[in-house]
Every structure is written in structure tokens, then in C-alpha cells.
Amino acid sequence: MKKVYYNGLDFWQEGPKYKRIEYPINDEIFKKAENLLNIKFPHSFIDLMKIQNGGELKYPYFILSAVDTEGIPYEERVKLSYILPIHFENDDISILSSEELLKEVDLPKGFIVLWTDFHYWVVLDYRNTKDNPSVMYIAENFLASTNETTEWEYIKITDSFDEFLKKLFRSSTNWCFSKK
């Protein structure tokens, strides 16, 4: 499988598989969101969200480099299915829902959620900064978790959102099925 890396063009998937609400986005909404969250979004993140306010990605994969519980390094291909939109509506999950989402699973404050399925998370890590966050992958450790507690593994993907964009790729393999 050949990897085609994101090159600054065509970030968003056209014609999403799932119907999603299209929320408008502009500089005023970004400023309001940043003030509410008490952070500064990376410029490259703002530029992408101005094109489309969240949704599915054309380059949804990245390689996660980590170390297992025995200290053995490994790599895993991970899919970032979508990025949450920014909006102030209460009827749909948004990047602005991050604090509530994190609280629901007992994760610490300071992360801005880009994507989650509640067992795995891709977040901007603002715990020690107000701007230029690192990008973090948080995974539930199913072996260490119990019915009463959930244990989490924190793996830094990159030091910045710009670096993260350079790690995103898609497969160049086109699957064709033909009838015989």
C-alpha cells in the first residue's frame, strides 16, 4: 500500500457519507470560541476550518509510534474519521463540547477534542499552553481498566498541529471489483 501524504490541498472529503449539519464559520465565531476556551487555535487549523467547518478527511490516517507495556516500540495505523465542527448549538457535539466530553470519561481538562469514539481520542493539548498545542492520542487501556475505573494511555503524536498535518495520509490503492 502506497501512502499519499496531505500536501496542503483538498483536506476535506467531498460528499460526506453521513449527513451532518453544516454550521457557518467566520472570524467572529473563531474569536468567540477562543475566548470561551481561553486558547488560541493554530493558524493552519483555522484555515482548514474556514474551508469547511469540520467533517470527514481525504487524508484520514496517521502512523502512531508508541511503546507497549513491556517497553517494546511499535507503530500502528490510526484513522481520524472526522474533525468536530465549531458551533454554539446545544443539540450537536462540537469542539466547544470538549470539557463536557472529557468530564464524561474522567479525562483531565485542557484538551480540545478533534475526534473521539469515547475509547480513543485525538486532541489538541492545551494543558500547559494557551497557543501552539501539541497533538495527542489518548487510548483506553482495556487491560488496566476495571468496571469502576478507566485507565488511559497518553501518546504525543506531534509537537504542533502543522506537524500533525504532515503525518496525515491516504492509501493510493484503489479497490476495483469486477463481475465475472
Side-chain angles (χ1 to χ4, degrees), residues 110-174:
F111 296 122
I112 300 300
V113 179
L114 298 178
W115 170 86
T116 186
D117 68 0
F118 290 90
H119 298 286
Y120 303 97
W121 305 70
V122 176
V123 299
L124 298 174
D125 185 359
Y126 284 98
R127 292 177 298 171
N128 298 313
T129 186
K130 298 290 182 198
D131 60 0
N132 197 29
S134 60
V135 180
M136 181 86 63
Y137 184 75
I138 304 171
E140 184 174 347
N141 182 337
F142 293 101
L143 297 175
S145 295
T146 66
N147 287 339
E148 292 81 35
T149 64
T150 303
E151 297 296 322
W152 298 101
E153 293 180 47
Y154 299 84
I155 304 165
K156 184 191 286 186
I157 302 168
T158 59
D159 288 327
S160 71
F161 187 74
D162 288 345
E163 289 177 41
F164 178 66
L165 291 176
K166 293 175 186 172
K167 290 186 170 279
L168 294 175
F169 68 91
R170 68 178 179 207
S171 170
S172 66
T173 306
N174 291 324

Side-chain angles (χ1 to χ4, degrees), residues 2-24:
K2 183 178 177 191
K3 298 174 192 162
V4 177
Y5 284 88
Y6 174 63
N7 61 6
L9 302 171
D10 299 324
F11 184 76
W12 300 106
Q13 184 72 11
E14 294 176 21
K17 293 180 196 173
Y18 307 104
K19 180 71 177 146
R20 68 179 192 87
I21 299 169
E22 299 284 340
Y23 294 102

Side-chain angles (χ1 to χ4, degrees), residues 62-134:
F62 61 92
I63 300 297
L64 183 67
S65 299
V67 178
D68 70 12
T69 56
E70 296 174 1
I72 300 170
Y74 69 92
E75 289 187 336
E76 180 180 340
R77 184 176 88 157
V78 177
K79 183 175 183 181
L80 177 64
S81 301
Y82 57 84
I83 291 179
L84 291 171
I86 297 173
H87 65 80
F88 297 90
E89 305 296 324
N90 291 328
D91 62 340
D92 193 20
I93 294 176
S94 156
I95 283 175
L96 299 177
S97 309
S98 292
E99 189 173 335
E100 295 84 29
L101 294 172
L102 296 166
K103 187 176 181 180
E104 192 171 320
V105 295
D106 203 25
L107 282 168
K109 292 180 181 181
F111 296 122
I112 300 300
V113 179
L114 298 178
W115 170 86
T116 186
D117 68 0
F118 290 90
H119 298 286
Y120 303 97
W121 305 70
V122 176
V123 299
L124 298 174
D125 185 359
Y126 284 98
R127 292 177 298 171
N128 298 313
T129 186
K130 298 290 182 198
D131 60 0
N132 197 29
S134 60

Side-chain angles (χ1 to χ4, degrees), residues 39-58:
I39 54 100
K40 291 287 289 174
F41 287 116
H43 293 292
S44 54
F45 177 78
I46 291 172
D47 291 343
L48 289 172
M49 296 297 275
K50 282 182 176 179
I51 295 168
Q52 179 176 306
N53 189 2
E56 293 180 60
L57 314 183
K58 254 188 192 173

